[in-house]
Amino acid sequence: MPVTTNTNIAVSLPVIAIVVPCYNEEAALPISAARLLGLLDRMSADGMVSPDSYILCCNDGSRDGTWSVIERLHVEDRRLKGISLAHNRGHQYALLAGLISVKDKCDAAVSIDADLQDDPEAIVEMVKLFSEGKEIVYGVRSSRATDTWFKRSTAHAFYTLQHRMGLDTVYDHADYRLMSRRALELLSEYGESNLFLRGIVPQIGLDTAIVTYERHERVAGESKYPLAKMLSFSIDGITSFSAKPIRIIFMIGLILLLVDVLVAIYVFSAYFGHSTISGWTSIMLSVWFLGSLILMSIGVVGEYIGKIFNEVKHRPRFAIRDRLWD
Ligand code: UDP
Ligand code: MG
């Protein structure tokens, strides 16, 4: 939006959209919204962002009063907008719904969790880098001191596993990032149903940068990501981007083939030593090795067939029920 400065030179300040996925966040949202609006006020007073910058809360089919909180906050301050998904689709989809909704209505979007565990102050640095021409700025945690030991170590184990599996993700970066309008447009061209944004965004390319920040405790409420959800998220990430598991199965097959030679030597020596009953040799050779190989192969092939199954259905990835947009 063009703004006239006191020297009468029209400069264009970027409109920033802060996208916040919310699932059962009635306790955290009023606190987070106030802080984020305060941050926008400050940045626009400093001449960093347009006063038209806004927050978009994406209610991910919450079961509590999250949507009423969003409605109330919208009445209090029109810069806080909202969309509500028809049902709970998960963090990634709520975020995508938000990013797609703002892509034509901002110069850059910042995604941040409703609990403000990711320090909102880092947005200032992100916007600075955006003004210098960076199109994607990743928020990276400098420490995880406030996470439990369990959460920290499982998260690191997942990152390591994903990297070993050939997945190009940014270490210790969750979904706290700034994306320019162009990056958002490119993102919207990814039509896959199995959504793992941390894997897709690095594939977009463009000029990127990193901002580090301290991770805090939740401002209110409880984590919506228990271990089971995290585990399935991580497996999803790997199987959406990497065919390495198939190669691993092939390697296991190769190793078993070598072991098979030793077993064959043992089985044949027993056979020629006349210490076997009829049929034992052939059954030993085939059942033992083929059985395990076939079972594992079916498991892996099944994973990929499951993915193809999901992709070919081309289901809508989100369905917006309500919109607050004026
Ligand atoms: N969230 C969501 N849908 C879900 C689960 C979570 O939109 O099904 C949102 C949640 O409201 C929060 C963000 O995703 O803004 C991250 O969730 P949370 O803070 O519970 O995860 P954690 O930080 O514990 O990993
Ligand atoms: Mg959190």
Side-chain angles (χ1 to χ4, degrees):
M1 183 207 178
V3 168
T4 309
T5 63
N6 48 9
T7 50
N8 271 343
I9 301 166
V11 288
S12 204
L13 293 175
V15 174
I16 302 294
I18 301 180
V19 178
V20 188
C22 312
Y23 177 60
N24 295 347
E25 297 285 8
E26 62 179 3
L29 209 49
I31 308 168
S32 320
R35 276 192 65 187
L36 292 173
L37 285 168
L39 183 75
L40 285 182
D41 284 338
R42 223 170 63 221
M43 287 202 294
S44 90
D46 290 348
M48 279 185 81
V49 302
S50 157
D52 293 337
S53 297
Y54 58 94
I55 298 169
L56 175 66
C57 295
C58 311
N59 175 32
D60 185 17
S62 299
R63 290 173 213 284
D64 65 357
T66 299
W67 184 242
S68 344
V69 172
I70 295 172
E71 283 177 320
R72 181 169 57 75
L73 293 169
H74 177 69
V75 172
E76 285 169 13
D77 192 327
R78 294 276 153 172
R79 288 178 302 161
L80 189 135
K81 302 172 193 302
I83 55 172
S84 187
L85 300 196
H87 59 123
N88 181 236
R89 283 292 280 125
H91 173 227
Q92 297 286 291
Y93 296 88
L95 192 53
L96 183 74
L99 293 175
I100 298 285
S101 303
V102 302
K103 98 178 152 56
D104 305 321
K105 299 175 184 72
C106 68
D107 296 305
V110 178
S111 47
I112 188 167
D113 290 350
D115 56 12
L116 296 195
Q117 283 193 280
D118 303 315
D119 187 2
E121 290 303 319
I123 295 176
V124 177
E125 194 58 35
M126 287 181 180
V127 172
K128 250 185 223 155
L129 287 161
F130 168 68
S131 307
E132 288 165 15
K134 300 291 178 197
E135 304 246 17
I136 301 174
V137 185
Y138 297 102
V140 170
R141 296 161 190 179
S142 57
S143 84
R144 280 176 172 262
T146 53
D147 276 349
T148 60
W149 172 86
F150 186 71
K151 179 117 191 170
R152 199 163 54 230
S153 38
T154 45
H156 280 169
F158 288 150
Y159 282 113
T160 311
L161 182 68
Q162 285 171 0
H163 275 260
R164 293 250 164 90
M165 291 292 168
L167 189 56
D168 179 23
T169 51
V170 179
Y171 198 75
D172 257 349
H173 158 71
D175 286 300
Y176 184 27
R177 71 177 86 81
L178 176 144
M179 294 176 79
S180 70
R181 191 184 181 121
R182 181 155 53 161
L184 292 173
E185 255 149 36
L186 292 173
L187 173 71
S188 70
E189 283 166 23
Y190 283 78
E192 60 199 83
S193 312
N194 288 287
L195 200 60
F196 189 71
L197 289 170
R198 288 167 218 187
I200 296 172
V201 176
Q203 288 197 350
I204 292 176
L206 301 176
D207 250 10
T208 64
I210 278 173
V211 165
T212 53
Y213 64 91
E214 289 280 331
R215 177 127 162 122
H216 302 301
E217 305 270 10
R218 257 183 167 272
V219 291
E222 280 173 3
S223 170
K224 278 89 197 167
Y225 264 95
L227 179 67
K229 254 194 186 175
M230 258 171 71
L231 194 66
S232 94
F233 186 50
S234 191
I235 292 173
D236 237 28
I238 292 167
T239 49
S240 294
F241 286 89
S242 164
K244 264 202 177 170
I246 288 184
R247 224 161 295 145
I248 290 172
I249 289 296
F250 177 77
M251 293 311 289
I252 291 173
L254 208 67
I255 293 164
L256 276 183
L257 205 69
L258 296 177
V259 178
D260 199 10
V261 174
L262 300 178
V263 174
I265 293 170
Y266 165 71
V267 167
F268 280 120
S269 65
Y271 176 73
F272 289 116
H274 301 290
S275 58
T276 66
I277 55 166
S278 149
W280 177 83
T281 317
S282 53
I283 285 177
M284 265 299 279
L285 283 176
S286 51
V287 169
W288 209 84
F289 296 104
L290 282 178
S292 59
L293 258 187
I294 288 168
L295 272 182
M296 285 195 289
S297 306
I298 287 173
V300 171
V301 172
E303 264 287 318
Y304 285 86
I305 290 177
K307 291 261 163 204
I308 295 166
F309 179 66
N310 274 328
E311 295 296 344
V312 295
K313 279 188 290 195
H314 283 296
R315 282 181 176 162
R317 286 169 292 164
F318 52 83
I320 295 171
R321 184 168 51 196
D322 307 305
R323 244 178 231 275
L324 291 175
W325 201 283
D326 54 26

Coordinates of all heavy atoms in Angstrom, one line a residue, residues 157-221:
A157 N 15.2 -37.2 16.9 CA 15.3 -38.6 16.3 C 14.6 -38.5 15.0 O 15.1 -39.1 14.0 CB 14.8 -39.6 17.2
F158 N 13.4 -37.8 14.9 CA 12.6 -37.8 13.7 C 13.4 -37.0 12.6 O 13.4 -37.4 11.5 CB 11.3 -37.1 13.9 CG 10.3 -38.0 14.7 CD1 9.4 -37.5 15.5 CD2 10.4 -39.4 14.6 CE1 8.5 -38.3 16.2 CE2 9.5 -40.2 15.3 CZ 8.6 -39.7 16.1
Y159 N 14.0 -35.9 13.0 CA 14.7 -35.1 12.0 C 15.9 -35.9 11.4 O 16.1 -35.9 10.2 CB 15.3 -33.8 12.7 CG 14.4 -32.7 12.9 CD1 14.0 -32.3 14.1 CD2 13.8 -32.0 11.8 CE1 13.1 -31.2 14.3 CE2 12.9 -31.0 12.0 CZ 12.6 -30.6 13.2 OH 11.7 -29.6 13.4
T160 N 16.6 -36.6 12.3 CA 17.7 -37.4 11.9 C 17.2 -38.5 10.9 O 17.8 -38.7 9.8 CB 18.5 -38.0 13.1 OG1 18.7 -37.0 14.0 CG2 19.8 -38.7 12.7
L161 N 16.1 -39.2 11.3 CA 15.6 -40.2 10.4 C 15.2 -39.7 9.1 O 15.5 -40.3 8.0 CB 14.4 -40.9 11.1 CG 13.7 -42.0 10.4 CD1 14.7 -43.2 10.4 CD2 12.4 -42.4 11.1
Q162 N 14.5 -38.5 9.1 CA 14.1 -37.9 7.8 C 15.3 -37.6 6.9 O 15.2 -37.8 5.7 CB 13.3 -36.7 8.1 CG 11.9 -37.0 8.6 CD 11.1 -35.7 9.1 OE1 11.7 -34.6 9.1 NE2 9.9 -35.9 9.6
H163 N 16.3 -37.1 7.5 CA 17.5 -36.7 6.7 C 18.2 -38.0 6.1 O 18.5 -38.0 5.0 CB 18.5 -35.9 7.5 CG 18.2 -34.5 7.5 ND1 18.8 -33.6 6.7 CD2 17.2 -33.7 8.2 CE1 18.3 -32.4 6.8 NE2 17.3 -32.5 7.7
R164 N 18.3 -39.0 7.0 CA 18.8 -40.3 6.5 C 18.0 -40.8 5.3 O 18.5 -41.5 4.4 CB 18.8 -41.3 7.6 CG 19.8 -41.0 8.7 CD 21.0 -41.9 8.8 NE 22.0 -41.4 9.6 CZ 22.1 -41.5 10.9 NH1 21.3 -42.3 11.5 NH2 23.1 -41.0 11.6
M165 N 16.7 -40.6 5.4 CA 15.8 -41.1 4.3 C 15.8 -40.1 3.1 O 15.0 -40.3 2.2 CB 14.4 -41.2 4.9 CG 14.2 -42.3 5.9 SD 14.5 -43.9 5.1 CE 14.6 -45.0 6.5
G166 N 16.6 -39.1 3.1 CA 16.8 -38.2 2.0 C 15.7 -37.1 1.9 O 15.5 -36.6 0.8
L167 N 15.1 -36.8 3.0 CA 14.1 -35.7 3.0 C 14.8 -34.4 3.3 O 15.6 -34.3 4.2 CB 13.1 -36.0 4.1 CG 11.9 -35.1 4.1 CD1 11.1 -35.2 2.8 CD2 10.9 -35.7 5.2
D168 N 14.6 -33.4 2.4 CA 15.3 -32.1 2.5 C 14.5 -31.1 3.4 O 13.7 -30.3 3.0 CB 15.4 -31.5 1.1 CG 16.1 -30.2 1.1 OD1 16.8 -29.9 2.1 OD2 15.9 -29.4 0.2
T169 N 14.7 -31.3 4.8 CA 14.0 -30.3 5.7 C 15.0 -29.5 6.4 O 16.2 -29.8 6.4 CB 13.2 -31.1 6.8 OG1 14.0 -32.1 7.4 CG2 12.0 -31.8 6.2
V170 N 14.5 -28.4 7.0 CA 15.4 -27.5 7.7 C 15.4 -27.9 9.2 O 14.4 -28.0 9.8 CB 14.9 -26.0 7.6 CG1 15.8 -25.1 8.4 CG2 14.9 -25.6 6.1
Y171 N 16.6 -28.2 9.7 CA 16.7 -28.7 11.0 C 16.2 -27.8 12.1 O 16.5 -26.6 12.1 CB 18.2 -29.0 11.3 CG 18.4 -30.0 12.5 CD1 18.2 -31.3 12.3 CD2 18.9 -29.5 13.7 CE1 18.4 -32.2 13.4 CE2 19.1 -30.4 14.8 CZ 18.8 -31.7 14.6 OH 19.0 -32.6 15.6
D172 N 15.3 -28.3 13.0 CA 14.7 -27.6 14.1 C 13.9 -26.4 13.6 O 13.7 -25.4 14.3 CB 15.8 -27.0 15.0 CG 15.8 -27.9 16.3 OD1 14.9 -28.7 16.5 OD2 16.8 -27.7 17.1
H173 N 13.3 -26.6 12.4 CA 12.4 -25.6 11.9 C 11.0 -26.3 11.9 O 10.9 -27.4 11.3 CB 12.7 -25.1 10.5 CG 11.6 -24.6 9.7 ND1 11.0 -23.3 10.0 CD2 10.9 -25.1 8.7 CE1 10.0 -23.1 9.2 NE2 9.9 -24.2 8.4
A174 N 10.0 -25.7 12.5 CA 8.7 -26.3 12.4 C 7.9 -25.5 11.3 O 8.5 -25.2 10.3 CB 8.0 -26.2 13.8
D175 N 6.7 -25.1 11.6 CA 6.1 -24.3 10.5 C 6.0 -22.8 10.7 O 5.1 -22.2 10.3 CB 4.7 -24.9 10.2 CG 4.8 -26.3 9.5 OD1 5.3 -26.3 8.4 OD2 4.4 -27.3 10.1
Y176 N 7.0 -22.3 11.4 CA 7.1 -20.9 11.7 C 8.0 -20.3 10.6 O 9.2 -20.5 10.6 CB 7.7 -20.7 13.1 CG 7.8 -19.3 13.6 CD1 6.9 -18.3 13.1 CD2 8.7 -18.9 14.5 CE1 7.0 -17.0 13.6 CE2 8.8 -17.6 15.0 CZ 7.9 -16.6 14.5 OH 8.0 -15.4 15.0
R177 N 7.3 -19.7 9.6 CA 8.1 -19.1 8.5 C 7.4 -18.0 7.8 O 6.2 -17.9 7.9 CB 8.5 -20.2 7.5 CG 7.3 -20.7 6.7 CD 7.7 -21.8 5.7 NE 7.8 -23.1 6.3 CZ 6.7 -23.8 6.4 NH1 5.5 -23.4 6.0 NH2 6.8 -25.1 6.9
L178 N 8.2 -17.2 7.1 CA 7.6 -16.2 6.3 C 7.7 -16.6 4.8 O 8.7 -17.2 4.4 CB 8.4 -14.8 6.5 CG 7.9 -13.7 5.6 CD1 8.0 -12.3 6.3 CD2 8.7 -13.6 4.3
M179 N 6.6 -16.4 4.1 CA 6.7 -16.7 2.6 C 6.1 -15.5 1.8 O 5.1 -15.0 2.2 CB 5.8 -17.9 2.3 CG 6.3 -19.2 3.0 SD 5.3 -20.6 2.7 CE 5.7 -21.0 1.0
S180 N 6.9 -15.2 0.8 CA 6.4 -14.0 0.0 C 5.2 -14.5 -0.8 O 4.9 -15.7 -0.9 CB 7.5 -13.6 -1.0 OG 7.7 -14.7 -2.0
R181 N 4.5 -13.5 -1.5 CA 3.4 -13.8 -2.3 C 3.7 -14.8 -3.4 O 3.0 -15.7 -3.7 CB 2.9 -12.5 -2.9 CG 1.6 -12.6 -3.6 CD 1.4 -11.2 -4.2 NE 0.1 -11.2 -4.9 CZ -0.9 -10.4 -4.6 NH1 -0.7 -9.5 -3.6 NH2 -2.0 -10.4 -5.2
R182 N 4.9 -14.6 -4.0 CA 5.3 -15.5 -5.1 C 5.5 -16.9 -4.5 O 5.1 -17.9 -5.2 CB 6.6 -15.0 -5.7 CG 7.1 -15.9 -6.8 CD 7.9 -15.1 -7.8 NE 9.0 -14.5 -7.1 CZ 10.1 -14.0 -7.8 NH1 10.2 -14.2 -9.1 NH2 11.1 -13.4 -7.1
A183 N 6.2 -17.0 -3.4 CA 6.4 -18.4 -2.8 C 5.0 -19.0 -2.5 O 4.9 -20.2 -2.7 CB 7.2 -18.2 -1.5
L184 N 4.1 -18.2 -2.1 CA 2.7 -18.8 -1.8 C 2.1 -19.3 -3.0 O 1.4 -20.3 -3.0 CB 1.8 -17.7 -1.1 CG 2.2 -17.3 0.3 CD1 1.3 -16.1 0.7 CD2 2.1 -18.4 1.3
E185 N 2.2 -18.5 -4.1 CA 1.7 -18.9 -5.4 C 2.3 -20.3 -5.8 O 1.6 -21.2 -6.3 CB 1.9 -17.9 -6.5 CG 0.6 -17.1 -6.7 CD 0.8 -15.7 -7.2 OE1 1.8 -15.4 -7.9 OE2 0.0 -14.8 -6.8
L186 N 3.6 -20.4 -5.7 CA 4.2 -21.6 -6.1 C 3.8 -22.8 -5.2 O 3.5 -23.9 -5.7 CB 5.8 -21.5 -6.0 CG 6.4 -20.5 -7.0 CD1 7.8 -20.3 -6.8 CD2 6.2 -21.0 -8.4
L187 N 3.6 -22.5 -3.9 CA 3.1 -23.5 -3.0 C 1.8 -24.0 -3.4 O 1.5 -25.2 -3.3 CB 3.1 -22.9 -1.5 CG 2.5 -23.9 -0.5 CD1 3.4 -25.0 -0.2 CD2 2.2 -23.1 0.8
S188 N 0.9 -23.1 -3.8 CA -0.5 -23.5 -4.2 C -0.5 -24.4 -5.4 O -1.5 -25.0 -5.6 CB -1.3 -22.2 -4.4 OG -1.0 -21.6 -5.6
E189 N 0.6 -24.5 -6.1 CA 0.6 -25.4 -7.3 C 0.9 -26.9 -6.9 O 0.7 -27.8 -7.7 CB 1.6 -24.9 -8.3 CG 1.1 -23.7 -9.1 CD 2.2 -23.0 -9.8 OE1 3.2 -23.7 -10.1 OE2 2.0 -21.8 -10.1
Y190 N 1.3 -27.1 -5.6 CA 1.5 -28.5 -5.2 C 0.1 -29.0 -4.8 O -0.5 -28.6 -3.9 CB 2.4 -28.5 -3.9 CG 3.9 -28.3 -4.3 CD1 4.4 -27.1 -4.5 CD2 4.7 -29.4 -4.3 CE1 5.7 -26.9 -4.8 CE2 6.0 -29.3 -4.7 CZ 6.5 -28.0 -4.9 OH 7.8 -27.8 -5.2
G191 N -0.3 -30.0 -5.6 CA -1.7 -30.5 -5.4 C -1.8 -31.7 -4.6 O -2.8 -32.4 -4.5
E192 N -0.7 -32.1 -3.9 CA -0.8 -33.4 -3.2 C -1.7 -33.4 -2.0 O -1.8 -32.4 -1.3 CB 0.6 -33.9 -2.8 CG 1.4 -32.9 -1.9 CD 2.9 -33.2 -2.0 OE1 3.5 -32.7 -2.9 OE2 3.4 -33.9 -1.1
S193 N -2.3 -34.5 -1.7 CA -3.2 -34.6 -0.6 C -2.5 -34.9 0.7 O -2.9 -34.5 1.7 CB -4.2 -35.8 -0.8 OG -4.7 -35.7 -2.1
N194 N -1.4 -35.7 0.6 CA -0.6 -36.0 1.8 C 0.3 -34.8 2.1 O 1.4 -34.7 1.4 CB 0.3 -37.2 1.6 CG -0.6 -38.5 1.7 OD1 -1.1 -38.9 2.7 ND2 -0.8 -39.0 0.5
L195 N -0.1 -33.9 2.9 CA 0.6 -32.6 3.1 C 1.6 -32.6 4.1 O 1.4 -32.9 5.3 CB -0.5 -31.6 3.4 CG -0.2 -30.2 3.1 CD1 0.1 -30.0 1.7 CD2 -1.3 -29.3 3.6
F196 N 2.9 -32.3 3.7 CA 4.0 -32.2 4.7 C 4.7 -30.9 4.3 O 5.7 -31.0 3.5 CB 4.9 -33.4 4.6 CG 5.9 -33.5 5.7 CD1 5.6 -33.7 7.0 CD2 7.3 -33.3 5.4 CE1 6.5 -33.8 8.0 CE2 8.2 -33.4 6.4 CZ 7.9 -33.6 7.7
L197 N 4.3 -29.8 4.8 CA 4.8 -28.5 4.3 C 6.2 -28.3 4.5 O 6.9 -27.7 3.7 CB 4.0 -27.4 5.0 CG 2.5 -27.2 4.6 CD1 1.8 -26.2 5.5 CD2 2.4 -26.7 3.2
R198 N 6.8 -28.9 5.6 CA 8.2 -28.8 5.8 C 9.1 -29.4 4.8 O 10.2 -29.1 4.6 CB 8.6 -29.4 7.2 CG 8.1 -28.6 8.3 CD 8.2 -29.4 9.6 NE 7.0 -29.1 10.4 CZ 6.8 -29.5 11.6 NH1 7.8 -30.3 12.2 NH2 5.8 -29.2 12.3
G199 N 8.5 -30.4 4.0 CA 9.2 -31.0 2.9 C 8.9 -30.2 1.6 O 9.8 -30.1 0.8
I200 N 7.7 -29.7 1.5 CA 7.4 -29.0 0.2 C 8.1 -27.7 0.1 O 8.6 -27.4 -1.0 CB 5.8 -28.8 0.1 CG1 5.1 -30.2 0.1 CG2 5.5 -28.0 -1.1 CD1 3.6 -30.1 0.2
V201 N 8.1 -26.9 1.2 CA 8.6 -25.5 1.1 C 10.0 -25.5 0.6 O 10.4 -24.7 -0.3 CB 8.3 -24.7 2.4 CG1 8.9 -23.4 2.3 CG2 6.8 -24.6 2.7
P202 N 10.9 -26.3 1.2 CA 12.3 -26.2 0.7 C 12.4 -26.6 -0.8 O 13.4 -26.2 -1.5 CB 13.1 -27.3 1.5 CG 12.3 -27.4 2.8 CD 10.8 -27.2 2.3
Q203 N 11.4 -27.3 -1.3 CA 11.5 -27.7 -2.8 C 11.1 -26.5 -3.7 O 11.3 -26.5 -4.8 CB 10.5 -28.8 -3.0 CG 11.0 -30.2 -2.5 CD 10.3 -31.4 -3.1 OE1 9.3 -31.2 -3.8 NE2 10.8 -32.5 -2.8
I204 N 10.4 -25.5 -3.1 CA 10.0 -24.4 -3.9 C 11.2 -23.6 -4.4 O 11.2 -23.2 -5.6 CB 9.1 -23.4 -3.0 CG1 7.8 -24.1 -2.7 CG2 8.9 -22.1 -3.7 CD1 6.9 -23.3 -1.8
G205 N 12.3 -23.6 -3.6 CA 13.5 -22.8 -4.1 C 13.4 -21.4 -3.7 O 13.0 -21.1 -2.5
L206 N 13.7 -20.5 -4.6 CA 13.7 -19.0 -4.3 C 14.8 -18.7 -3.3 O 15.5 -19.6 -2.7 CB 12.4 -18.5 -3.8 CG 11.2 -18.7 -4.8 CD1 9.9 -18.2 -4.1 CD2 11.4 -17.9 -6.1
D207 N 14.9 -17.4 -3.0 CA 16.0 -16.9 -2.0 C 15.5 -17.1 -0.6 O 14.4 -16.7 -0.3 CB 16.1 -15.4 -2.2 CG 17.5 -15.1 -2.9 OD1 18.1 -16.0 -3.3 OD2 17.8 -13.9 -2.9
T208 N 16.3 -17.8 0.2 CA 15.8 -18.1 1.5 C 16.8 -17.6 2.6 O 17.9 -17.3 2.3 CB 15.6 -19.6 1.8 OG1 16.9 -20.3 1.7 CG2 14.7 -20.2 0.8
A209 N 16.3 -17.5 3.8 CA 17.1 -17.1 4.9 C 16.6 -17.8 6.2 O 15.5 -18.4 6.2 CB 17.1 -15.6 5.1
I210 N 17.4 -17.7 7.3 CA 17.0 -18.3 8.5 C 17.0 -17.3 9.7 O 17.9 -16.4 9.7 CB 18.0 -19.5 8.8 CG1 17.5 -20.7 8.0 CG2 18.1 -19.8 10.3 CD1 18.5 -21.9 8.1
V211 N 16.1 -17.4 10.5 CA 16.1 -16.5 11.7 C 16.0 -17.4 12.9 O 15.2 -18.3 13.0 CB 14.8 -15.6 11.7 CG1 14.6 -15.0 13.1 CG2 15.0 -14.5 10.7
T212 N 16.9 -17.3 13.9 CA 16.8 -18.1 15.1 C 16.1 -17.4 16.2 O 16.1 -16.2 16.4 CB 18.2 -18.6 15.6 OG1 19.0 -17.4 15.8 CG2 18.9 -19.5 14.6
Y213 N 15.5 -18.2 17.1 CA 14.7 -17.7 18.2 C 14.6 -18.7 19.3 O 14.9 -19.9 19.1 CB 13.3 -17.3 17.8 CG 12.5 -18.5 17.3 CD1 11.7 -19.2 18.2 CD2 12.6 -19.0 16.0 CE1 11.0 -20.4 17.8 CE2 11.9 -20.1 15.6 CZ 11.1 -20.8 16.5 OH 10.4 -21.9 16.1
E214 N 14.3 -18.3 20.5 CA 14.1 -19.2 21.7 C 12.7 -19.7 21.6 O 11.8 -19.0 21.4 CB 14.3 -18.4 23.0 CG 15.7 -17.9 23.3 CD 16.6 -19.0 23.9 OE1 16.0 -19.9 24.5 OE2 17.8 -19.0 23.6
R215 N 12.6 -21.0 21.9 CA 11.2 -21.6 22.0 C 10.7 -21.5 23.5 O 11.4 -21.8 24.4 CB 11.3 -23.1 21.6 CG 10.0 -23.8 21.8 CD 9.7 -24.5 20.5 NE 8.7 -25.5 20.7 CZ 7.6 -25.6 20.0 NH1 7.3 -24.6 19.2 NH2 6.7 -26.5 20.2
H216 N 9.5 -21.0 23.6 CA 8.9 -20.8 24.9 C 7.9 -21.8 25.3 O 7.6 -22.7 24.5 CB 8.2 -19.4 25.0 CG 9.1 -18.2 24.7 ND1 10.2 -18.0 25.4 CD2 9.0 -17.3 23.7 CE1 10.8 -16.9 24.9 NE2 10.1 -16.5 23.8
E217 N 7.4 -21.7 26.5 CA 6.3 -22.6 26.9 C 5.0 -22.1 26.2 O 5.0 -20.9 25.8 CB 6.0 -22.4 28.5 CG 7.2 -22.7 29.3 CD 7.3 -24.1 29.7 OE1 6.5 -24.9 29.2 OE2 8.2 -24.5 30.6
R218 N 4.0 -22.9 26.1 CA 2.7 -22.5 25.6 C 2.2 -21.4 26.5 O 2.3 -21.4 27.7 CB 1.7 -23.7 25.8 CG 1.4 -24.4 24.6 CD 0.4 -25.5 24.8 NE 0.0 -25.9 23.5 CZ -1.0 -25.4 22.8 NH1 -1.7 -24.4 23.4 NH2 -1.3 -25.8 21.6
V219 N 1.5 -20.4 25.9 CA 0.9 -19.3 26.7 C -0.2 -19.8 27.5 O -0.5 -19.3 28.6 CB 0.5 -18.0 25.9 CG1 1.7 -17.3 25.3 CG2 -0.4 -18.4 24.8
A220 N -1.0 -20.8 26.9 CA -2.1 -21.4 27.7 C -2.5 -22.6 26.9 O -2.2 -22.8 25.8 CB -3.3 -20.4 27.8
G221 N -3.3 -23.5 27.6 CA -3.8 -24.7 27.0 C -2.8 -25.8 26.9 O -1.7 -25.7 27.5

